[in-house]
Amino acid sequence: MKLSTRGRYGLRAIHYLAENEDNGYISVSDISNTLKLPENYLEQLIRILKKII
């Protein structure tokens, strides 16, 4: 199965949040820096994911 860039980044972000849920608040910039993803693009994905979840 092939995923789009948006799909891969979204899954990586969700996975990171799930692994670190006990750490409290996690900012988009923290996720971006840790996973080495573009922050602006990640912000757009998080907005979409918030609507879905």
Side-chain angles (χ1 to χ4, degrees), residues 14 48-53:
I14 290 171
I48 294 168
L49 291 170
K50 283 171 64 175
K51 288 180 185 177
I52 295 171
I53 297 173

Side-chain angles (χ1 to χ4, degrees), residues 17-35:
L17 288 169
E19 283 186 331
N20 295 287
E21 68 180 330
D22 295 334
N23 296 340
Y25 178 78
I26 301 170
S27 69
V28 173
S29 61
D30 289 340
I31 299 169
S32 172
N33 292 331
T34 303
L35 299 179

Side-chain angles (χ1 to χ4, degrees), residues 32-45:
S32 172
N33 292 331
T34 303
L35 299 179
K36 307 220 181 334
L37 302 175
E39 187 171 344
N40 291 336
Y41 193 66
L42 190 57
E43 285 177 354
Q44 293 173 15
L45 287 176

